[in-house]
Amino acid sequence: MTRFITSSFSHLILLIGILIMVFPVWMIFASSTHTSSMINMSGLQMFLGDSFYENYLRVLLYQGGFFKEITALKMFFNSFIMATGVAILSVVTSLMAAYALVYYRIKHATFLFWIIFITILVPLELRIFPTYSVMAELNLVNSYFGLIVPISASAIATLFFRQFYKTVPDELLESAKLDGANTWRFFVDFLIPLSKTMIVAMLIFMFVFGYNQYLWPLLVTTSEQYWTVVMGLKMMSGSIVHRFAFVMMSMVPPILIIIVLQKHFIKGVFQDK
Amino acid sequence: MSFLDLKNVTKIYPNGTKAVHETSLSIDEGEFMVFVGPSGCGKSTLLRMVAGLEDITEGDINLDGKLMNEVDPSERDVAMVFQNYALYPHMNVYNNLAYGLKNRGIDKETIEQKVNDAAKLLQISDYLQRKPSMLSGGQRQRVAMGRAIVRNPKIFLFDEPLSNLDAKLRIQMRLEIKKLQQKVGVTSIFVTHDQVEAMTLADRLAVINNGIIEQLGTPIEIYDNPKSLFVAGFIGSPQMNFLDGNLKNKTLSAEGFEIKDINSDYEGDVTLGIRPEHLSQTENGLINLKVDLVEQLGSDNLVYGQLKDKKDFCYRCPGNQTIKTGANLSLNIENNKYYIFDKSTGKRVN
Ligand SMILES: Nc1ncnc2c1ncn2[C@@H]1O[C@H](COP(=O)(O)OP(=O)(O)OP(=O)(O)O)[C@@H](O)[C@H]1O
Ligand SMILES: [Mg+2]
């Protein structure tokens, strides 16, 4: 009986926590389904209105920006390309960097690793102008390449993969070698499948990181054609319900990615046990 | 040149540890060789050099007439069974066995047939679709063996593959490994620190101590004729009894007794070795044993006690004799089966 009471009590606390977090999001969503005049007259709404399709469709297809060149749909497309690019590129490079650091006979590998690691302490903002001039010199301003590549070297992901590789028993490599696997095959047939769970986690993490970028895309794009969702959030003008609708939609891609990949993530965790 | 040939092989690890000292050894095709020795003596190091997993500091290793020193492990055509099996955790049993074959570009049907044959031989056909984590210790052991057998390699290397199993399974797997090796006929090297395992498996035995092969021979040769104090103490269970003594004019005098007409011209301090099973009870025997403890194994009794000078001593007698704690036994050495070693160098002198 006491167990029942304590567990219901902790559930209650959790529920309150969830409510506190979800409530503002709900308010915005509910408000985004009303008309602007309704919001202007009676403030934020708690219950759904009937302008959902009208508002959301309009936001998606409205030609915005100073030069009226970009729609929200295009921004989502840009953000998706950028976030996916950052996620894939940074996971691939960190997998390979960690592999080299752990398995190749590199002199001072630990020292090199710490050099890579230190870059975590240098925020993007600090190196943003030199990085910009490199991109400008290379003529990569206003391109997806320019949006993605400069922020796709991840020291954190390298750290995670390196620590994971270090826990893989040496016998596995030795055994694979005797079975005729070369360096490349060991990477593809062993390390990648074994770190599947971690790869998925890193993909999610880096996707959200790429999606949330603001300063870098702002700097490296001058054409509105390359605006991303997060930039749009800042730049957007228009009526309040349309802005609410845009905010709501901007949350969808990261949530979608987590839902889609989470399945593999959890499956991976349980299979390894 | 024999099938596997080690010539003056030395291993010095980068940190300066000299794990193997100028070891030479020849192993014939189809032979079952066992490396036995205490922990840290360099058995694994020697084995791993044959596999190519450790560089050879000095010396040559030839396998099937080819110099192996610079050959990559993947090209050596050797198979190894590790102590913790090192199965591929993300592959099912079938793929664990098939992986080495796939890497050689063998076609699918042949692989399937070979894997099924090996699985049948090892009685693991029912588990082919399981992941290693879903197998018992003994089953994993078999999969590890299967992975070695299926490739039909030039040589099998075993690094203490039985030490993770419980006592009963260990004896069973020991038998199976021996049978399997005889059936498949592949040259094998088996590393262990368990002398019973060594004696039962080996065609030939290399007793290793401190990176040196102390003695090489068939198990019976080594048991009957140990060349050094170390080998004498290491092989045989329970351990050989050692007594201090002095050898002069072919007469050995130890605490409380003398042995005359010894077949050795050595003079000086010696260690006398007597195996517990080479003793028998008589009246007025050489050795007087005061019994402290009797272990009844059924077939045998192990009698532990002390000599006059409080030295521990062990005597093994048939299980049908009843011996009481506290009794005084008078023992003789059967058929002059005693071993005399130079006390300072440990070399055999008789
Ligand atoms: N990578 C290494 N670097 C330095 N020294 C090592 C290394 N590997 C082993 N040694 C040393 O070399 C010696 C022989 O080691 P080895 O592993 O061959 O012993 P072993 O006979 O297999 O022992 P065990 O029965 O415990 O497995 C030991 O003294 C060990 O400390
Ligand atoms: Mg070892």
Side-chain angles (χ1 to χ4, degrees):
Chain A
M1 196 59 200
T2 45
R3 238 184 96 195
F4 176 73
I5 291 173
T6 47
S7 88
S8 352
F9 184 67
S10 49
H11 276 89
L12 191 70
I13 292 184
L14 288 174
L15 279 171
I16 293 172
I18 290 174
L19 276 179
I20 290 177
M21 287 201 274
V22 168
F23 185 67
V25 180
W26 172 255
M27 286 269 275
I28 294 188
F29 178 64
S31 303
S32 72
T33 58
H34 288 270
T35 57
S36 289
S37 48
M38 175 81 173
I39 304 289
N40 288 335
M41 283 191 305
S42 14
L44 293 177
Q45 297 297 307
M46 289 282 288
F47 301 102
L48 294 177
D50 46 17
S51 312
F52 176 81
Y53 283 110
E54 191 193 318
N55 289 346
Y56 279 75
L57 270 182
R58 178 165 143 119
V59 168
L60 276 179
L61 302 175
Y62 178 72
Q63 301 275 323
F66 298 116
F67 305 103
K68 308 278 178 234
E69 277 177 352
I70 180 126
T71 60
L73 209 55
K74 183 75 198 290
M75 289 186 214
F76 277 108
F77 177 76
N78 289 343
S79 276
F80 183 77
I81 296 284
M82 178 171 173
T84 312
V86 169
I88 291 174
L89 195 61
S90 57
V91 165
V92 168
T93 50
S94 354
L95 271 171
M96 300 207 288
Y99 184 46
L101 285 171
V102 175
Y103 287 97
Y104 282 53
R105 286 188 196 173
I106 300 175
K107 268 195 190 147
H108 314 300
T110 317
F111 176 74
L112 283 176
F113 169 71
W114 285 113
I115 295 269
I116 292 174
F117 189 75
I118 280 176
T119 61
I120 290 179
L121 307 176
V122 183
L124 175 67
E125 288 73 17
L126 217 63
R127 62 168 170 97
I128 206 153
F129 285 109
T131 308
Y132 178 79
S133 28
V134 171
M135 286 295 117
E137 291 284 319
L138 292 175
N139 245 339
L140 290 169
V141 175
N142 283 329
S143 68
Y144 289 123
F145 192 89
L147 275 172
I148 293 167
V149 173
I151 56 170
S152 292
S154 169
I156 294 200
T158 311
L159 166 79
F160 274 104
F161 288 127
R162 172 182 182 262
Q163 296 318 99
F164 173 72
Y165 291 166
K166 289 203 163 230
T167 66
V168 173
D170 288 343
E171 283 89 358
L172 209 56
L173 171 65
E174 292 173 346
S175 194
K177 269 191 198 165
L178 293 174
D179 257 348
N182 56 24
T183 350
W184 172 246
R185 287 249 70 93
F186 182 66
F187 184 57
V188 174
D189 293 343
F190 288 81
L191 291 180
I192 290 183
L194 285 172
S195 48
K196 207 166 68 190
T197 315
M198 192 170 282
I199 290 174
V200 172
M202 283 298 142
L203 279 175
I204 294 176
F205 182 76
M206 295 312 296
F207 182 91
V208 174
F209 171 79
Y211 188 80
N212 284 343
Q213 285 303 312
Y214 174 64
L215 190 59
W216 176 246
L218 187 69
L219 210 65
V220 84
T221 61
T222 50
S223 151
E224 287 178 4
Q225 283 302 321
Y226 288 98
W227 276 20
T228 63
V229 172
V230 178
M231 287 165 76
L233 281 176
K234 178 79 173 75
M235 308 283 189
M236 207 175 52
S237 52
S239 71
I240 185 102
V241 285
H242 295 150
R243 282 196 242 170
F244 282 166
F246 189 61
V247 166
M248 287 313 299
M249 286 192 287
S250 74
M251 294 193 304
V252 172
I255 293 175
L256 223 57
I257 284 291
I258 289 172
I259 290 172
V260 169
L261 290 184
Q262 185 192 234
K263 253 191 277 171
H264 300 275
F265 182 60
I266 290 174
K267 208 164 84 190
V269 171
F270 283 111
Q271 260 174 3
D272 289 350
K273 289 294 148 211
Chain B
M1 191 181 282
S2 46
F3 191 66
L4 177 70
D5 220 45
L6 278 67
K7 220 163 85 197
N8 297 326
V9 171
T10 297
K11 174 72 190 182
I12 302 171
Y13 279 108
N15 68 358
T17 312
K18 198 165 183 185
V20 175
H21 299 253
E22 301 203 16
T23 296
S24 298
L25 179 67
S26 300
I27 298 177
D28 290 328
E29 191 156 10
E31 196 174 19
F32 200 123
M33 170 65 89
V34 174
F35 294 166
V36 65
S39 189
C41 68
K43 317 177 285 289
S44 296
T45 306
L46 200 55
L47 193 75
R48 292 165 56 81
M49 284 194 285
V50 175
L53 300 173
E54 297 290 351
D55 293 334
I56 302 162
T57 313
E58 259 168 61
D60 291 334
I61 293 182
N62 279 286
L63 178 61
D64 201 9
K66 277 201 288 281
L67 184 65
M68 285 290 137
N69 290 32
E70 301 300 327
V71 179
D72 198 72
S74 57
E75 312 276 307
R76 287 194 188 193
D77 201 7
V78 303
M80 185 153 166
V81 179
F82 293 83
Q83 181 171 348
N84 56 10
Y85 317 139
L87 299 181
Y88 308 143
H90 57 301
M91 298 184 194
N92 63 19
V93 171
Y94 181 91
N95 284 324
N96 262 279
L97 299 197
Y99 187 69
L101 300 173
K102 281 184 194 158
N103 276 335
R104 300 180 164 192
I106 296 174
D107 65 282
K108 263 206 163 116
E109 283 96 70
T110 320
I111 292 182
E112 199 172 331
Q113 197 189 340
K114 285 187 178 213
V115 170
N116 286 334
D117 287 350
K120 211 187 247 164
L121 192 65
L122 288 154
Q123 299 160 6
I124 49 172
S125 304
D126 293 344
Y127 319 120
L128 284 177
Q129 297 309 321
R130 289 203 204 168
K131 293 266 176 76
S133 56
M134 296 155 79
L135 298 176
S136 72
Q139 290 162 347
R140 285 180 206 187
Q141 170 68 54
R142 284 166 205 267
V143 175
M145 298 274 302
R147 201 169 60 182
I149 285 175
V150 78
R151 277 176 32 209
N152 195 15
K154 286 196 180 124
I155 188 161
F156 278 170
L157 307 173
F158 300 86
D159 194 351
E160 311 205 23
L162 302 181
S163 50
N164 283 353
L165 300 177
D166 65 59
K168 201 171 157 206
L169 203 54
R170 211 152 136 171
I171 294 171
Q172 186 193 338
M173 285 309 295
R174 191 169 81 198
L175 267 170
E176 282 187 29
I177 288 181
K178 183 74 181 170
K179 274 196 240 160
L180 206 65
Q181 196 266 347
Q182 282 170 351
K183 199 152 155 190
V184 187
V186 177
T187 317
S188 306
I189 305 179
F190 189 102
V191 162
T192 176
H193 59 246
D194 180 320
Q195 55 97 16
V196 180
E197 224 164 88
M199 296 286 287
T200 48
L201 282 172
D203 289 333
R204 237 161 18 118
L205 202 58
V207 185
I208 302 179
N209 185 27
N210 276 329
I212 294 169
I213 296 185
E214 289 245 350
Q215 194 171 351
L216 193 65
T218 65
I220 291 305
E221 266 167 33
I222 291 182
Y223 174 83
D224 280 342
N225 211 354
K227 292 229 169 68
S228 72
L229 194 64
F230 173 81
V231 175
F234 197 80
I235 298 294
S237 168
Q239 212 192 20
M240 190 185 274
N241 297 296
F242 292 117
L243 306 174
D244 287 337
N246 190 284
L247 189 59
K248 206 171 180 189
N249 288 333
K250 295 188 183 289
T251 302
L252 181 126
S253 30
E255 182 74 27
F257 63 90
E258 276 191 348
I259 305 175
K260 290 202 163 60
D261 295 326
I262 281 174
N263 178 22
S264 169
D265 292 326
Y266 181 83
E267 303 217 327
D269 283 341
V270 293
T271 302
L272 172 67
I274 308 160
R275 291 200 187 276
E277 54 270 36
H278 292 161
L279 293 160
S280 58
Q281 292 185 57
T282 55
E283 290 189 6
N284 298 324
L286 278 179
I287 299 166
N288 285 305
L289 179 67
K290 186 162 182 303
V291 180
D292 286 336
L293 179 77
V294 182
E295 282 182 354
Q296 292 181 309
L297 304 180
S299 57
D300 291 312
N301 290 333
L302 298 182
V303 182
Y304 297 94
Q306 288 181 340
L307 304 185
K308 272 194 200 124
D309 56 345
K310 303 278 176 216
K311 251 191 113 63
D312 291 328
F313 201 82
C314 175
Y315 159 51
R316 180 181 198 153
C317 69
N320 54 17
Q321 295 183 13
T322 36
I323 291 171
K324 291 230 163 56
T325 308
N328 276 303
L329 302 183
S330 163
L331 303 172
N332 250 347
I333 305 171
E334 288 177 344
N335 307 328
N336 288 337
K337 275 193 180 163
Y338 50 79
Y339 308 94
I340 301 171
F341 305 95
D342 179 337
K343 195 170 177 191
S344 51
T345 63
K347 288 265 172 301
R348 176 89 175 271
V349 294
N350 73 327

